[in-house]
């Protein structure tokens, strides 16, 4: 089942909240820590302070705390409400790789969450066109200047691509971008055989060297429109580098010049951290949401693993004892997998849904996404 549309916002927290709140458990504040919401404590004697918990490892904490839950707003623990477990949860699954991230969420994500981590691209937020001139120099016979927008009249490409951070478990967007292939810009250069490195620089001096063959094989794009809007002129440039299937550190904003060099050794290709592989997120609900018994519950979110295809999204309502495997046949690597899962529950109580991704290489999400919710009696 496919659809091409902007991701609906009703009931969503957005990518910014999803990246910061939903990646490692129910309202988790610490990656890899079993974290669950709880009611207010009746007395301080019922609580175990979270700072004491930090001084113990997970195994010790489980022995000391037993059946306890963490309240994330004041970091206290209390007796845990029993969780209703459902083995092999049944539901209807679909996925779509053409769902686009709304402009404001892209801006919030990369302007706030990713500052200082990646290239923090300045995304389109206005209609006014900017400066599309890019200088090309380095180990070539003659430097030259290109107007990317004018070149785009003949060699423009429009594609849906993702931008995914390789240093945080969150940080992912999907957008329709329009630009000129880097290869088309470099066709004008008379390249020496020894040239093996290309660096794309922004107006702020940001640039990451990469092997020239890697940039050309990945079909890097010099982008001047995102989601159909021209980029605003910022710091002297309005062109961005987008690298399909690559980590976001290569995504350079406000490009001013491109340098071609001959290095004694090719620069290494940047890879995502192991904890960021097979990333997954639930986006449309936060912990504590309540549904009615018999009501259809629809969860949605994304899954991605950079240059490795997502093979399946898996769901568990019994703490990982059993998993419902939903294949994502034909999923491509240059876009996110935006999934939906609809199911119903008849028994009132507290539930915990855990979602993970599995890649074509057999890797499972190091950080699953978990949603804690309540099902109330429909007659209430």
């Amino acid at each position: 089942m496919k659809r091409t549309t902007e991701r609906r916002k009703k009931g969503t927290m957005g990518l910014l909240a999803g990246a910061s709140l939903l990646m490692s458990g129910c309202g988790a504040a610490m990656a890899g820590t079993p974290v669950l919401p709880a009611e207010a404590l009746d007395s301080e004697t019922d609580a175990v302070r979270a700072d004491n918990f930090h001084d113990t490892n997970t195994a010790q904490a489980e022995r000391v705390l037993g059946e306890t839950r963490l309240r994330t707003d004041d970091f206290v623990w209390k007796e845990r409400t029993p969780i209703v477990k459902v083995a092999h949860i049944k539901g209807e699954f679909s996925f779509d790789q053409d769902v686009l991230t709304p402009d404001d969420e892209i801006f919030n994500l990369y302007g706030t969450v990713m500052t200082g981590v990646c290239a923090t691209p300045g995304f389109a937020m206005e209609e006014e066109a900017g400066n599309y001139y890019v200088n090309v120099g380095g180990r070539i016979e003659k430097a030259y200047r290109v107007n990317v927008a004018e070149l785009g009249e003949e060699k423009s490409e429009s594609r849906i691509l993702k931008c995914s951070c390789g240093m945080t478990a969150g940080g992912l967007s999907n957008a329709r971008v329009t630009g000129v292939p880097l290869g088309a810009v470099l066709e004008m250069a008379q390249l020496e055989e020894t040239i093996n490195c290309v660096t794309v620089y922004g107006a702020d001096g940001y640039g990451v060297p990469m092997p020239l063959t890697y940039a050309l094989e990945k079909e890097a794009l010099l982008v001047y429109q995102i989601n159909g809007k021209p980029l605003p002129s910022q710091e002297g440039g309005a062109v961005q580098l987008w690298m399909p299937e690559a980590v976001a550190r290569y995504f350079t904003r406000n490009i001013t010049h491109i340098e071609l060099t001959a290095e004694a050794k090719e620069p290494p290709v940047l890879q995502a951290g192991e904890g960021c592989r097979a990333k997954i997120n639930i986006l449309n609900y936060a912990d504590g949401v309540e549904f009615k018994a018999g009501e259809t519950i629809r969860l949605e979110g994304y899954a991605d693993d950079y240059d490795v295809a997502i093979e399946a999204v898996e769901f568990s309502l019994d703490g990982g004892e059993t998993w419902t495997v939903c294949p994502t046949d034909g999923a491509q690597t240059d876009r996110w997998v935006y999934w939906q899962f609809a199911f119903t529950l008849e028994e009132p109580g507290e539930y915990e849904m855990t979602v993970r991704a599995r890649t074509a290489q057999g890797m499972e999400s190091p950080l699953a996404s978990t949603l804690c919710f309540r099902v109330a009696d429909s007659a209430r």
Side-chain angles (χ1 to χ4, degrees):
M1 177 179 179
K2 297 282 184 177
R3 60 189 174 94
T4 304
T5 180
E6 277 198 355
R7 179 170 62 79
R8 66 179 184 272
K9 293 185 178 181
K10 183 177 180 182
T12 69
M13 294 182 64
L15 283 176
L16 177 61
S20 59
L21 295 178
L22 298 177
M23 286 309 298
S24 55
C26 305
M30 300 169 289
T33 302
V35 180
L36 299 169
E39 304 290 338
L41 296 181
D42 296 329
S43 67
E44 287 189 20
T45 57
D46 297 325
V48 177
R49 299 301 300 179
D51 51 0
N52 293 333
F53 175 72
H54 292 172
D55 296 333
T56 62
N57 60 34
T58 301
Q60 291 172 326
E62 290 176 348
R63 289 196 296 270
V64 173
L65 297 174
E67 289 297 307
T68 57
R69 308 181 75 183
L70 175 66
R71 179 182 176 189
T72 58
D73 54 353
D74 57 7
F75 296 98
V76 293
W77 298 78
K78 77 162 293 185
E79 186 176 351
R80 176 174 181 166
T81 302
I83 297 295
V84 180
K85 292 186 176 182
V86 179
H88 301 290
I89 179 65
K90 292 181 173 58
E92 295 184 2
F93 175 82
S94 64
F95 77 96
D96 186 348
Q97 295 195 274
D98 294 336
V99 176
L100 303 181
T101 306
D103 296 345
D104 57 346
E105 292 191 10
I106 296 177
F107 177 82
N108 287 336
L109 179 67
Y110 290 97
T112 306
V113 177
M114 311 302 291
T115 301
V117 177
C118 297
T120 59
F123 286 87
M125 296 301 292
E126 59 188 58
E127 297 294 340
E128 180 182 355
N131 177 16
Y132 300 120
Y133 288 98
V134 174
N135 297 306
V136 181
R139 192 75 172 268
I140 57 178
E141 289 190 8
K142 185 178 181 180
Y144 57 94
R145 195 182 195 196
V146 177
N147 186 316
V148 176
E150 288 184 0
L151 184 61
E153 294 177 2
E154 297 181 0
K155 300 189 177 182
S156 173
E157 292 186 7
S158 182
R159 302 169 58 186
I160 294 178
L161 295 176
K162 68 190 179 189
C163 182
S164 186
C165 181
M167 300 177 67
T168 65
L172 180 63
S173 66
N174 212 46
R176 180 175 291 280
V177 297
T178 301
V180 174
L182 176 64
V185 174
L186 299 184
E187 284 178 359
M188 304 178 189
Q190 297 181 9
L191 301 179
E192 297 182 9
E193 292 184 1
T194 55
I195 293 178
N196 59 1
C197 177
V198 58
T199 307
V200 179
Y201 288 99
D204 58 359
Y206 182 91
V208 180
M210 71 183 100
L212 177 60
T213 53
Y214 177 75
L216 297 178
E217 288 172 0
K218 289 296 181 182
E219 299 181 343
L221 276 180
L222 299 185
V223 170
Y224 54 88
Q225 284 187 1
I226 294 181
N227 288 349
K229 297 179 181 179
L231 298 179
S233 182
Q234 297 178 348
E235 304 174 37
V239 179
Q240 299 176 4
L241 178 70
W242 280 62
M243 288 283 297
E245 304 172 350
V247 297
R249 286 185 63 190
Y250 285 124
F251 286 55
T252 305
R253 64 175 180 176
N254 306 325
I255 297 173
T256 56
H257 66 285
I258 299 171
E259 185 173 356
L260 297 157
T261 57
E263 306 295 336
K265 185 177 181 181
E266 278 190 347
V269 174
L270 299 180
Q271 302 290 338
E274 287 301 311
C276 302
R277 306 300 306 225
K279 62 174 64 177
I280 193 161
N281 224 332
I282 301 171
L283 290 179
N284 63 328
Y285 290 109
D287 291 331
V289 63
E290 182 175 290
F291 304 99
K292 291 183 179 180
E295 173 186 3
T296 298
I297 302 171
R298 299 182 186 276
L299 302 183
E300 61 183 67
Y302 64 68
D304 177 62
D305 194 29
Y306 307 95
D307 57 347
V308 180
I310 297 296
E311 189 173 72
V313 179
E314 303 178 350
F315 301 85
S316 178
L317 267 182
D318 56 7
E321 295 177 20
T322 63
W323 293 91
T324 298
V325 179
C326 300
T328 53
D329 297 334
Q332 300 177 36
T333 55
D334 58 354
R335 290 171 282 172
W336 66 7
V337 170
Y338 198 85
W339 55 264
Q340 295 189 12
F341 187 69
F343 59 101
T344 59
L345 296 169
E346 302 294 340
E347 182 181 349
E350 302 284 338
Y351 290 84
E352 182 178 282
M353 172 65 84
T354 303
V355 186
R356 71 185 183 188
R358 180 160 46 82
T359 73
Q361 295 180 349
M363 182 178 187
E364 297 170 350
S365 302
L367 290 176
S369 186
T370 305
L371 177 71
C372 299
F373 62 95
R374 179 180 299 107
V375 173
D377 192 328
S378 59
R380 194 177 75 177

